Amino acid sequence: LAGCSHNVTGIVKGGDTGTSQNTTEPLTTETAAKPWAFEIPPAAIADSKITKTVNAEIIVIGAGTSGLVCANTAAEGGAKVVVIAKSTKPVGFGGSNHAYNSRIMKKHGFNYDINKAVRSEMASASFQPDQRKWSLFYKYSGEAMNWLMDKMEAAGYTTVIERLSFDDPTGVLTAHIGAHSWIGADVKLGGDSQPQVASVLAATALKSGVEINYNTVAEQLVRNSNGRVTAVIAKTSDGTYTKYVGSKAIVLATGDITGDPEMLAKYCPKVVGMQGLSPNTGDGQKMGLWVGAAWQKVQQAAPMCIGAPGISPDPYGACPSLMVNKDAERYSNEDTVISFAGYDIMSQPEQKVFGIWTAKLAEISATWYPFGSFYGSPGISQADVITGWDNPASGIVKADTLNDLATKLGLPAGALKATVNRYNTLCNNRIDEDFHKRAELLIPIEAGPFYGSMFSPMMFAVTGGLRTNTKMQILDKNEKVIPGLYGVGSIVGDMYNNCYTFLVTGMNLGANCLTFGYLTGKALAAGTA
């Protein structure tokens, strides 16, 4: 390793004295053992700097879905709860919330094989995640979702469920139906509804007596001589420090690590340099580490990274279009879910690929999903699909010939025509001898107009965090509970490995945020946590 060096500009690792040094120094056994700068606890905030103390039973750090769910159920159980958040308002990203056996699932008759779902996830993750937490999710997610549906529907929203991967009954890439979301006057696409969820949860929390302080940045946890975490010190909007004391618990609900390049370099180096959509910087994970918490047993944090597998009527996979790289070379079986497609694109030149298709694909879209991509939402027609493609904001280009399409996409025209001709031969023969794509997804690209679009991997978030048990208590490296400290949401460790697969779509919001937040708040209020 002596000749190797870190490849992350600006990342620092701590020296033996706690000072920082650039990681462009040669990577040796000695330098690799040094702590990263984010692992070194800052100097304790002096009591003299604390101008105010706020006392409650439960202090929740973070006003995203997990923190607000936890605050709601704790307050409904009679606890005095204070939420602090560095955001200026409730925060919600995405909109897919997976649950099993909710009342709307029962209404539509959805009931998939849990054993198959879990084994598929565990196999793709090399059986590294904590199956006890997955079991907890499946046991209580329906109850938690019914609770959330009550709140959303009382606020005027309609619950919908996503239609998912079009795979055969034994398909290894079947994404199981159970992703709940909402539509209403201010949101037409269910998969975008998490901001509305967060706003509703903040409103119901306030009605239940929860105090929410925005623009309040948690900086340090306080752990007393008995080992209990009793408080968090936060900087308020006026620049002063307030100590928030929780007699029952301090709950970390601060989200993921996407916005911290040092944490990515250590825990998810594959995505270093990629732009993530989540702004979270691992604040809770850092504060936990500083008071003795252990990182999850699965060292690799799992990126929630997608690469659209061409244009597909399937929200998560089952792509019937042709995909090529910048050399106009077909490089894989397009029939995969978006998470694995994203990983695949990372291996292509410049991490760019291109989808190629014709209007015939619109017929397939309308046939597969005559009622749209969500159960409970308005229908979709062939004309609707093409109108969406023709929208300039879609980023999709249209051309009468393959030569013109290649020019617009910046692809070599000769190579593209050769690839399309080969692909058409496979489609017409109904056998993909090159990559073994399912016959029903082999749609020839013969008559124009021709459509195309460029795709690069998109990273939503990087999930993974602190070691926790099934009560969401945070543990140290010896598997001992750190009294008084809990975690919910993306901070919960050992839920994923390698990548976030989207096979149980909406698992992070549905399990880590909703189900675990719901159960933790109830247990803390009842004194059973």
Side-chain angles (χ1 to χ4, degrees):
L1 295 178
C4 302
S5 63
H6 279 285
N7 191 30
V8 185
T9 303
I11 303 300
V12 295
K13 289 191 71 175
D16 296 332
T17 61
T19 58
S20 296
Q21 57 192 33
N22 198 289
T23 57
T24 55
E25 70 180 295
L27 181 59
T28 64
T29 302
E30 180 182 350
T31 59
K34 293 180 180 178
W36 290 83
F38 74 83
E39 295 176 302
I40 301 172
I45 297 170
D47 289 342
S48 60
K49 292 185 177 181
I50 298 172
T51 60
K52 182 180 178 181
T53 298
V54 174
N55 291 283
E57 290 178 288
I58 300 166
I59 306 295
V60 177
I61 308 171
T65 301
S66 63
L68 292 170
V69 168
C70 181
N72 267 275
T73 56
E76 290 168 3
K80 181 181 178 181
V81 183
V82 173
V83 174
I84 63 172
K86 70 177 183 181
S87 60
T88 59
K89 61 182 180 180
V91 176
F93 298 106
S96 300
N97 300 255
H98 202 98
Y100 180 79
N101 213 26
S102 69
R103 63 172 180 262
I104 191 172
M105 293 279 283
K106 293 178 180 178
K107 174 183 175 181
H108 287 288
F110 299 138
N111 181 28
Y112 61 82
D113 186 337
I114 294 176
N115 178 54
K116 177 183 174 183
V118 174
R119 287 202 304 151
S120 175
E121 278 287 343
M122 293 305 117
S124 67
S126 303
F127 275 76
Q128 293 300 292
D130 187 344
Q131 293 184 59
R132 294 167 298 182
K133 295 194 186 87
W134 277 73
S135 178
L136 189 71
F137 158 72
Y138 274 113
K139 183 175 182 178
Y140 292 103
S141 61
E143 175 186 328
M145 181 56 70
N146 290 342
W147 172 88
L148 181 56
M149 286 169 57
D150 286 342
K151 286 177 166 45
M152 294 301 293
E153 291 167 5
Y157 294 95
T158 299
T159 307
V160 296
I161 298 180
E162 297 178 14
R163 297 171 182 262
L164 299 175
S165 282
F166 186 85
D167 207 346
D168 62 84
T170 60
V172 295
L173 296 179
T174 296
H176 303 277
I177 292 176
H180 299 59
S181 52
W182 290 268
I183 57 175
D186 56 343
V187 57
K188 301 303 180 184
L189 180 63
D192 292 339
S193 60
Q194 214 61 25
Q196 286 75 17
V197 171
S199 293
V200 169
L201 289 172
T204 57
L206 291 171
K207 288 180 180 178
S208 295
V210 176
E211 177 185 332
I212 304 178
N213 296 323
Y214 298 108
N215 293 303
T216 304
V217 182
E219 293 194 359
Q220 291 180 14
L221 298 172
V222 177
R223 191 175 186 186
N224 66 19
S225 58
N226 293 324
R228 183 178 184 83
V229 173
T230 58
V232 58
I233 301 173
K235 183 178 286 187
T236 56
S237 57
D238 62 2
T240 61
Y241 286 103
T242 297
K243 179 185 285 187
Y244 292 88
V245 178
S247 61
K248 286 187 173 181
I250 306 296
V251 181
L252 300 175
T254 54
D256 56 275
I257 66 172
T258 306
D260 188 288
E262 283 191 358
M263 298 191 83
L264 292 186
K266 177 166 184 176
Y267 297 125
C268 194
K270 188 176 182 69
V271 301
V272 167
M274 290 181 63
Q275 181 63 46
L277 298 183
S278 170
N280 295 324
T281 53
D283 298 1
Q285 286 91 333
K286 294 172 194 171
M287 288 189 291
L289 292 172
W290 297 338
V291 296
W295 189 253
Q296 63 183 15
K297 293 181 180 179
V298 179
Q299 185 73 4
Q300 163 81 35
M304 192 182 294
C305 185
I306 69 169
I311 292 298
S312 172
D314 186 329
Y316 294 94
C319 175
S321 58
L322 166 67
M323 297 295 293
V324 300
N325 60 24
K326 77 178 189 68
D327 298 319
E329 176 188 10
R330 187 181 180 213
Y331 59 91
S332 73
N333 185 336
E334 298 88 350
D335 180 16
T336 186
V337 292
I338 53 178
S339 52
F340 301 138
Y343 259 31
D344 202 2
I345 295 172
M346 287 183 194
S347 300
Q348 296 307 306
E350 299 179 12
Q351 295 192 347
K352 292 180 181 179
V353 297
F354 302 82
I356 311 294
W357 70 96
T358 69
K360 189 171 181 64
L361 185 53
E363 300 175 21
I364 306 299
S365 298
T367 300
W368 280 2
Y369 296 131
F371 303 107
S373 294
F374 297 88
Y375 292 99
S377 68
I380 188 171
S381 67
Q382 182 177 347
D384 292 333
V385 174
I386 293 176
T387 297
W389 294 347
D390 290 339
N391 185 339
S394 70
I396 295 171
V397 302
K398 182 179 180 181
D400 292 328
T401 68
L402 282 175
N403 275 337
D404 288 343
L405 186 70
T407 298
K408 291 181 178 181
L409 292 174
L411 296 173
L416 179 61
K417 287 191 287 185
T419 297
V420 169
N421 287 338
R422 170 62 179 169
Y423 186 69
N424 287 342
T425 297
L426 300 173
C427 291
N428 291 324
N429 290 339
R430 312 304 294 157
I431 298 175
D432 180 5
E433 297 175 346
D434 294 344
F435 294 103
H436 315 288
K437 189 174 183 177
R438 281 183 284 154
E440 61 266 34
L441 301 182
L442 294 172
I443 312 300
I445 303 170
E446 295 173 325
F450 300 95
Y451 292 90
S453 186
M454 188 275 285
F455 299 97
S456 290
M458 178 185 297
M459 187 172 68
F460 292 117
V462 177
T463 61
L466 303 179
R467 197 172 302 178
T468 56
N469 60 20
T470 54
K471 291 185 176 182
M472 304 306 131
Q473 294 170 300
I474 292 176
L475 310 176
D476 64 19
K477 64 181 181 181
N478 296 315
E479 305 289 307
K480 301 296 184 183
V481 169
I482 298 178
L485 187 61
Y486 295 77
V488 294
S490 296
I491 204 169
V492 175
D494 295 312
M495 286 297 290
Y496 317 104
N497 184 37
N498 184 34
C499 75
Y500 185 90
T501 69
F502 289 96
L503 294 178
V504 180
T505 311
M507 184 70 182
N508 194 58
L509 285 174
N512 296 35
C513 297
L514 173 58
T515 304
F516 297 163
Y518 171 84
L519 294 174
T520 301
K522 288 173 67 74
L524 287 172
T528 57

